[in-house]
Amino acid sequence: MLQRQTPLSIDWIGDVDGYLDLIDQTRLPERLEYRTCHTSDEVWQAIRQLAVRGAPAIGIAAAYGVILAARDFAGGSERWRPELARALEYFASSRPTAVNLFWALDRLRARADRLPASASADDLRRELLDEARRIHQEDREICREIGRCGAELLADGDGVITHCNTGGLATAEFGTALAAILTAADQGKQLHVFVTETRPLLQGARLTAWELMQHDIPATLICDSAAAQVMKEGRVRSVWVGADRIAANGDVANKIGTYALALLARAHDLPLYVAAPASTFDLSLRSGDEIPIEQRAAEEVAEGFGRRTAPEGVSVYNPAFDVTPAQLIEGIVTEWGVVRPVETAGIRRVLSPAQENRKLSQ
Ligand code: MRU
């Protein structure tokens, strides 16, 4: 079980009248700074600007953001119910792809729905804070479980490639794919991690390289376009990524560039593992074609390094995510076990305890 020291990516300070502290991921690696959010708008902006990012972290931050919105609610349920619906809708508009966001908002909605008509706005605030704290705490435990399941797939001496950031910054603690790597390292396995830069916003270079260095895990930064060469040179045994949304057939939406890595892994006969909590599955979607893909600003590509790197006026296409077909994925590591082979029936089998648990807690 992981017992490492790591700074808290998300921290709710105080009680119902408290506030949210987030590690400002836009400042790393130069500065480890917290961004304090006293209003729901500040949380919404932090999500939109990627100050807090990574599918599970977005869900947790939004849940706390709703509590900040609820601070202004007053009166009885006939008044706060429509206000709550507006706050949930507001956060749902922050980023479209990571389903953990909508999952967390649904949990708050369900909790509020169970309150009697006589419940006051104060009652609602207490319930919402309790639910947000549960989501946060559960994610800590889930990351440890994913780490435990994933570490079994890593062997002493393995080189691995990882993409984007799937560490403690992207979750409540320790991460998903990175938790597997950290757990394997704690078991005494010597690993070497090749970290892709992850253009355009460099989550790999800025965040994953920083996290691995904090944990003393040997790591080498590569350009995204160096991955094929690293594979060809025989330096890696597997590829490890996270996910933002997984359809019922196992197609995975993750940071742009994941699909390319998956194709390269297949060409070099290397397994690709996706690590994600049950809350990242969206069983209402039959395939990855139905996953909404976030389109982001042209400046992220044309001025990503703080100065213009492309001619003024050039047309830019900047999808933040791509979809990797299930057939290219060797296994999906969840807190409930590994889905392998990746297909609808296997997903339903592995996730069935998660669905049972959800029913019991409702
Ligand atoms: O745009 P981002 O940085 O939020 O994208 C994040 C990713 O794609 C991660 O790989 C994913 O959310 C998994 S986080 C454990």
Side-chain angles (χ1 to χ4, degrees):
M1 215 32 103
L2 275 166
Q3 294 299 344
R4 293 165 173 260
Q5 284 294 318
T6 169
L8 289 177
S9 51
I10 302 171
D11 201 7
W12 178 263
I13 314 289
D15 204 359
V16 274
D17 52 356
Y19 60 90
L20 188 62
D21 259 352
L22 303 167
I23 289 183
D24 187 342
Q25 300 189 35
T26 63
R27 312 289 274 182
L28 284 168
E30 292 98 333
R31 277 188 288 280
L32 176 57
E33 271 175 17
Y34 280 85
R35 193 193 272 212
T36 298
C37 301
H38 289 282
T39 67
S40 55
D41 289 345
E42 285 169 344
V43 180
W44 192 95
Q45 286 297 342
I47 294 172
R48 184 63 148 233
Q49 295 163 3
L50 274 52
V52 57
R53 46 140 301 283
I58 293 170
I60 298 164
Y64 286 124
V66 173
I67 292 150
L68 293 174
R71 188 164 290 170
D72 300 329
F73 299 176
S77 63
E78 70 298 337
R79 271 185 68 188
W80 61 250
R81 278 198 199 282
E83 288 177 318
L84 175 64
R86 269 194 296 279
L88 294 170
E89 224 171 276
Y90 175 55
F91 277 101
S93 71
S94 57
R95 293 192 73 188
T97 303
V99 76
N100 309 61
L101 168 67
F102 307 96
W103 168 88
L105 297 174
D106 280 348
R107 276 188 56 164
L108 296 188
R109 184 182 294 109
R111 187 75 182 250
D113 284 351
R114 293 201 292 278
L115 281 172
S118 59
S120 67
D122 274 339
D123 296 332
L124 172 73
R125 280 187 279 273
R126 274 192 294 277
E127 290 291 307
L128 293 180
L129 180 59
D130 184 63
E131 193 64 24
R133 283 188 164 138
R134 276 169 196 260
I135 291 170
H136 196 174
Q137 178 56 28
E138 284 169 21
D139 194 58
R140 286 197 184 97
E141 290 154 23
I142 287 167
C143 290
R144 286 187 163 81
E145 277 307 300
I146 290 176
R148 196 181 58 73
C149 293
E152 289 172 22
L153 301 166
L154 289 160
D156 189 26
D158 275 1
V160 302
I161 292 191
T162 190
H163 188 56
C164 196
N165 172 266
T166 65
L169 292 165
T171 59
E173 206 176 23
F174 299 126
T176 55
L178 228 60
I181 290 166
L182 295 177
T183 308
D186 279 359
Q187 293 168 348
K189 296 173 189 167
Q190 297 292 324
L191 303 176
H192 194 101
V193 186
F194 288 87
V195 179
T196 56
E197 273 185 309
T198 316
R199 282 283 285 142
L201 296 181
L202 304 176
Q203 288 92 330
R206 293 187 302 104
L207 309 176
T208 304
W210 180 80
E211 284 201 58
L212 289 169
M213 289 177 79
Q214 299 286 309
H215 288 292
D216 275 329
I217 306 285
T220 301
L221 179 64
I222 57 171
C223 300
D224 297 350
S225 45
Q229 185 64 17
V230 167
M231 290 180 186
K232 191 164 167 235
E233 289 170 6
R235 293 172 188 263
V236 293
R237 296 280 296 274
S238 54
V239 179
W240 285 78
V241 297
D244 284 80
R245 199 184 289 226
I246 306 174
N249 70 343
D251 291 352
V252 167
N254 191 50
K255 180 52 54 194
I256 192 75
T258 304
Y259 177 36
L261 270 183
L263 290 167
L264 294 177
R266 179 55 56 91
H268 291 88
D269 208 14
L270 297 170
L272 166 77
Y273 294 107
V274 173
S279 53
T280 304
F281 287 79
D282 183 349
L283 301 183
S284 73
L285 305 185
R286 262 175 313 167
S287 83
D289 295 344
E290 296 172 39
I291 298 176
I293 300 294
E294 178 179 7
Q295 303 295 325
R296 293 191 61 95
E299 292 71 41
E300 291 182 352
V301 176
E303 297 174 20
F305 294 96
R307 58 176 284 266
R308 235 185 130 87
T309 53
E312 215 47 80
V314 70
S315 155
V316 173
Y317 176 50
N318 184 20
F321 301 96
D322 58 27
V323 176
T324 299
Q327 308 83 269
L328 294 179
I329 302 167
E330 176 66 24
I332 303 181
V333 180
T334 77
E335 69 272 34
W336 297 103
V338 181
V339 179
R340 190 184 188 179
V342 180
E343 54 187 27
T344 309
I347 289 174
R348 291 198 183 273
R349 207 168 31 250
V350 170
L351 291 192
S352 57
Q355 279 152 358
E356 280 313 307
N357 261 23
R358 229 168 272 167
K359 273 185 222 141
L360 288 176
S361 65
Q362 275 168 16

